[in-house]
Amino acid sequence: MPRTPSLALAGALTGAAGIVTSQATAWLLRADNPPVEAVASAVRDLTPGPVAHWLIQRVGDHDKPLLIAGTLVVLLALCAWTGVLARRRPLVADLVYVVLAVIGLLSVRRLDDSTIGSTFAVAVGFITWVVVNRFLTAPLLAPDTSDGLARRDFLLRAGGVVVAVAGAGIVGRISNQRRRDVEQARDLVRLSGQRGAVPAGANVKVDGLPPWRTPNDDFYEIDTVFAPPLIRPSEWKLRVHGLVENELVLTYDNLVKRKQTGAWVTLCCVSNEVGGDLIGNAWWAGVLIREVLAEAKPLAGADAVLQTSQDGWTCGTPLAALTDDRNAMLALEMNGDPLPIEHGFPVRMVVPGLYGYVSATKWLVDLEVSRFSEIDAYWTKRGWSEHGPVKTQSRIDVPRDGSDVDAGMVGVGGVAWAQHTGIEKVEYQLDGGPWQTAKLGMVPSLDTWVQWTGDVDIDPGPHTLVVRATDKSGYTQTAVQTDVIPNGATGWHSIQFDAR
Ligand SMILES: Nc1nc2c(c(=O)[nH]1)N[C@H]1C(S)=C(S)[C@@H](COP(=O)(O)O)O[C@H]1N2
Ligand SMILES: [Mo]
């Protein structure tokens, strides 16, 4: 059949098109693990040790590019075959794409820092394959056109695909270039670099508890952007305006030259379910907002500050929380590094005691002093409360819910938080028995979570462990379970485990 080489070419082109659109998507979404790289690294990791060793000895430093090239060659060969399959078994061709996409997904997923962006990139590549294969092979499969006409139609379509895909690739590449530029600018920023000393005794000795200081890479990420804004510090400006006597415009340099303050603050999300992990603790450093606001001089009657991020997200914070003695900050640093891009580089807000959705604006560019009666922020428009003070909460981390442990004395532990109020006491209860008082780790202030630990003597069989905290205002967590919306979940964290 004379059209077979053209079909194979159509298939290979289809393969390349999907790879390019998927890579462009990964770049656009700043995905951590572009699918092709993820597959290549899966291939590397799954290669038996001796074989890998032998290969590395032969190719030295070139192992990564070679691996990627090898992955691409295999992929394109398979895709050429799908072009040929399109003639008699188009569904088998689709099945090949499904298998390739699943391999892509599994490869992306096994890298633990994989994001939704990488998954999305795989999906875009898959759809490209399914659609483009049909589009390119259609003229070659038309039975009643002459070979010459079929080929001309095919070449036209192929040209169109190449142009479209090259365009997508270029757009993706340019956006990735911007990311690298901003990463580079971030690397060049010179700030205090102080990581904050973890207080002695903050980390209690229970295996399986997350560290008291949350490393930046493990810090939860919540925002409404598909890809984070990319802002060079040299381009960044903060406008402070509204109900103020002096309007201000601050540059990054200006902030860097001001007095820097560092503090341990635990940040948490209003959407955190009881027992959830949308919470992290870091050493934040930057400029106290109250000092900036003191220069701007809020007018009488103002009670709110509306923040806007580069991407247009907004939130409103009580003016009082930004001018009282707490460490409400324009943060430039997180655990001694310039803010990671995902956590708001170059400047974000951090306000102890308030949920992130009403205080922790990332990629901050605008502060408008105002009145609550006059503002409507992103989440308050969507049914969440105007005010979002953090609710006193506690969590069991050890043992894990649903785990098996050895009967006898078992160490238990977790964290509790009531930022800017402070945790007074944590109690735990086994199988509905008496509440026992937990030992608490050290904390530097009221603004961080505290680790708690205790032990229970358990018989073989199923068990339930419950925790509750009392804060320094004297309030003990209610057992009443409420939903996260409109202003944060309540209820006790309870877990089940088995002893053997
Ligand atoms: N620009 C912007 N800032 C934002 C958000 C957002 O969607 N956009 N989400 C907020 C919410 S709801 C939370 S809980 C915190 C999370 O901060 P993190 O991603 O650094 O943990 O950021 C806050 N700042
Ligand atoms: Mo949040």
Side-chain angles (χ1 to χ4, degrees):
M1 188 66 180
R3 288 181 185 176
T4 299
S6 300
L7 284 169
L9 179 61
L13 247 175
T14 299
I19 291 165
V20 173
T21 55
S22 145
Q23 180 65 46
T25 307
W27 276 333
L28 269 172
L29 301 183
R30 339 242 193 262
D32 291 330
N33 301 298
V36 174
E37 272 177 58
V39 172
S41 74
V43 171
R44 179 193 58 210
D45 296 349
L46 299 179
T47 305
V51 178
H53 187 74
W54 181 85
L55 281 173
I56 286 171
Q57 275 190 333
R58 234 111 303 218
V59 301
D61 277 354
H62 304 299
D63 62 329
K64 202 178 167 205
L66 276 177
L67 206 65
I68 290 184
T71 306
L72 285 175
V73 166
V74 172
L75 204 64
L76 289 181
L78 274 171
C79 286
W81 178 52
T82 62
V84 179
L85 279 174
R87 182 165 48 212
R88 295 232 170 76
R89 306 185 202 290
L91 292 181
V92 176
D94 288 344
L95 192 66
V96 173
Y97 298 142
V98 169
V99 169
L100 290 176
V102 168
I103 292 173
L105 272 184
L106 292 175
S107 308
V108 159
R109 291 273 150 175
R110 66 184 271 288
L111 303 171
D112 51 10
D113 54 348
S114 84
T115 58
I116 178 126
S118 318
T119 306
F120 200 74
V122 173
V124 168
F126 172 72
I127 292 167
T128 306
W129 282 336
V130 171
V131 172
V132 172
N133 194 32
R134 280 177 173 64
F135 181 70
L136 287 182
T137 55
L140 300 170
L141 299 176
D144 42 3
T145 44
S146 71
D147 277 358
L149 259 184
R151 201 145 296 150
R152 214 188 55 184
D153 192 7
F154 164 64
L155 287 179
L156 270 176
R157 290 181 179 218
V161 166
V162 167
V163 169
V165 164
I170 289 167
V171 168
R173 187 73 198 163
I174 289 171
S175 85
N176 184 244
Q177 182 61 41
R178 169 98 193 157
R179 165 107 200 182
R180 281 180 301 178
D181 287 352
V182 173
E183 289 284 8
Q184 209 169 41
R186 180 177 171 270
D187 287 344
L188 292 173
V189 159
R190 285 290 159 263
L191 302 171
S192 83
Q194 282 169 16
R195 302 186 66 234
V198 174
N203 284 294
V204 302
K205 290 184 180 60
V206 177
D207 283 346
L209 225 58
W212 186 80
R213 176 215 300 270
T214 313
N216 291 355
D217 284 344
D218 299 340
F219 208 95
Y220 80 98
E221 262 178 59
I222 295 284
D223 50 58
T224 58
V225 297
F226 221 36
L230 297 170
I231 310 169
R232 287 191 185 85
S234 59
E235 293 165 350
W236 182 85
K237 277 192 178 56
L238 175 67
R239 188 162 162 240
V240 185
H241 63 113
L243 299 176
V244 294
E245 222 168 276
N246 305 318
E247 219 177 286
L248 306 174
V249 177
L250 304 180
T251 63
Y252 193 73
D253 270 347
N254 178 290
L255 278 194
V256 171
K257 287 192 186 110
R258 286 168 183 257
K259 189 182 104 205
Q260 306 289 305
T261 300
W264 290 105
V265 179
T266 296
L267 186 64
C268 62
C269 184
V270 68
S271 301
N272 196 33
E273 309 271 355
V274 171
D277 58 4
L278 300 180
I279 178 164
N281 184 47
W283 174 259
W284 306 94
V287 174
L288 291 174
I289 298 174
R290 65 168 180 267
E291 294 179 358
V292 171
L293 286 174
E295 277 171 44
K297 296 205 171 71
L299 299 174
D303 66 358
V305 176
L306 182 72
Q307 298 140 55
T308 309
S309 65
Q310 167 90 10
D311 57 288
W313 185 84
T314 51
C315 82
T317 307
L319 178 62
L322 304 181
T323 48
D324 66 15
D325 61 359
R326 82 184 81 191
N327 289 315
M329 270 189 253
L330 298 172
L332 311 180
E333 285 177 276
M334 181 177 185
N335 286 325
D337 288 327
L339 287 178
I341 290 175
E342 274 69 18
H343 292 290
F345 183 77
V347 180
R348 78 172 304 167
M349 300 245 308
V350 172
V351 184
L354 304 183
Y355 285 124
Y357 85 106
V358 288
S359 69
T361 308
K362 306 192 271 190
W363 316 291
L364 177 75
V365 294
D366 192 282
L367 289 178
E368 182 184 353
V369 178
S370 184
R371 293 193 189 93
F372 274 110
S373 58
E374 269 156 39
I375 63 176
D376 217 1
Y378 187 92
W379 285 116
T380 43
K381 272 186 222 157
R382 291 165 173 80
W384 297 78
S385 299
E386 197 159 69
H387 292 278
V390 170
K391 292 182 180 172
T392 301
Q393 263 296 347
S394 52
R395 183 179 83 191
I396 301 164
D397 289 297
V398 181
R400 289 260 157 235
D401 194 16
S403 62
D404 293 320
V405 302
D406 292 333
M409 275 304 222
V410 170
V412 299
V415 285
W417 59 92
Q419 293 94 304
H420 216 59
T421 306
I423 290 292
E424 178 68 27
K425 181 169 75 166
V426 174
E427 296 163 290
Y428 57 96
Q429 183 196 51
L430 182 73
D431 300 329
W435 287 99
Q436 307 188 57
T437 303
K439 273 204 313 219
L440 299 184
M442 295 297 293
V443 284
S445 73
L446 305 175
D447 296 339
T448 72
W449 62 9
V450 55
Q451 297 192 343
W452 64 268
T453 158
D455 37 43
V456 288
D457 195 1
I458 46 171
D459 302 327
H463 295 280
T464 302
L465 186 68
V466 183
V467 69
R468 71 176 184 198
T470 300
D471 65 31
K472 287 192 188 294
S473 77
Y475 168 80
T476 299
Q477 268 182 265
T478 169
V480 177
Q481 305 263 353
T482 57
D483 196 10
V484 295
I485 194 167
N487 54 20
T490 64
W492 295 339
H493 188 208
S494 164
I495 63 146
Q496 250 115 49
F497 61 99
D498 269 298
R500 290 176 301 197

